[in-house]
Structures are given as C-alpha cells and as structure tokens.
Amino acid sequence: MGISETSDEAWMRYAIRLAQRAEQQGEVPVGAIVVQDNRCIAEGWNIPISSHDPTAHAEVVAMRGAGVHVENYRLTEATLYVTLEPCVMCLGAMSHARIKRLVFGAFDVKRGAVCNALSLTDASFLNHKISWDGGVLETECSEMLRDFFKARR
C-alpha cells in the first residue's frame, strides 16, 4: 500500500484485479470483495454469462462466499467493495445480508441503485441501512468498463 493510499483504495485495487479476471473470461469487468476485521473473507467477479446465471453478479458471488465463510447469511460486520455502483438486485441482496458498509468505484448513471438511477440506500421500505462511499478509484474503474464496451462495439 502506498504512503498516501487509504485502505479503501487498497481493497478497491484488489477488486479491480478481480474485475480483470471477469474481462479475461469475456464477462463485464466488475469485481467485488467482502472484508471483515480487515481481512478479505470472500471475492467474486461477474460470471453470469459463463455460469448461465443472471444473479451471478460480482457482489452476489462475493456475498455467497462470505456467507459460507462465516456460516451465516447475515454479514453484519462486513464491508463490500465493488468496482461499479450496484444494481437493484445486488443492493437488495446486500440489504438482506445486512452488509454494514458498501464502497464502490465507478458510478452507474443508468442502472445504479445507490445514488443514481435509484437511491435505495435511502428507501424507507428497506429495514436495513447500508452506509456507503462511492467514487473510490473511480477513474480506474470507469476506464476499465468504458474500454471493455468500446472494444465490443
């Protein structure tokens, strides 16, 4: 970790490496990790295409692994790091898992459910509030996605 780098940035760099794995597999480059007690307890990257599973977003894959790791579906002391602002499905899963904190890289203006297309972190109908920080290593995360989609056009 560099002198000026925060732990959020260091964990996001880990998630970026996982997003690169997704891209190498022909998936949209999104990576996620679940951190508890300053240790990564699970990781994931997008695999919906290769797994034929529409729910296999990086966040869900990571939370599944974290649940197995802690032997509980509740992740009340965990922070989830992900390279892209989560969608509705992923934010709903985070709420059900009781994720304590969310940190994401790139903002998703069209589909982001945290603070862009929707602001579900403020929704009164959810019985769990997730604290969040967005834009951590935003440039790197955004460029990776932009380059991926540009190459596919």
Side-chain angles (χ1 to χ4, degrees):
M1 181 163 47
I3 293 171
S4 65
E5 188 170 64
T6 68
S7 60
D8 282 349
E9 290 168 341
W11 288 122
M12 189 61 70
R13 289 195 193 289
Y14 186 149
I16 288 170
R17 289 192 300 274
L18 297 174
Q20 291 165 341
R21 285 190 195 175
E23 185 172 18
Q24 290 165 357
Q25 297 171 5
E27 303 274 1
V28 175
V30 178
I33 60 170
V34 178
V35 173
Q36 188 169 296
D37 298 323
N38 205 33
R39 281 187 24 234
C40 177
I41 62 169
E43 60 184 35
W45 55 90
N46 272 3
I47 55 167
I49 298 167
S50 61
S51 66
H52 311 291
D53 179 356
T55 69
H57 288 193
E59 302 94 309
V60 172
V61 173
M63 285 188 288
R64 286 176 182 156
V68 169
H69 179 83
V70 300
E71 298 180 338
N72 195 331
Y73 71 107
R74 298 284 196 217
L75 303 169
T76 58
E77 296 303 313
T79 298
L80 191 145
Y81 291 85
V82 61
T83 56
L84 177 64
E85 180 180 353
C87 69
V88 171
M89 175 187 71
C90 292
L91 194 66
M94 285 177 222
S95 178
H96 286 293
R98 305 295 193 264
I99 291 288
K100 184 175 186 173
R101 181 171 176 247
L102 164 68
V103 179
F104 64 88
F107 291 89
D108 187 344
V109 177
K110 292 182 182 178
R111 289 171 219 73
V114 176
C115 60
N116 275 289
L118 295 169
S119 295
L120 291 181
T121 53
D122 297 327
S124 61
F125 61 85
L126 290 177
N127 61 349
H128 174 70
K129 298 294 181 199
I130 301 168
S131 69
W132 63 273
D133 290 293
V136 175
L137 300 182
E138 178 183 5
T139 301
E140 292 93 321
C141 294
S142 296
E143 285 176 357
M144 184 174 17
L145 287 159
R146 188 172 38 255
D147 292 347
F148 174 80
F149 286 111
K150 186 187 286 186
R152 296 193 83 144
R153 288 186 191 117

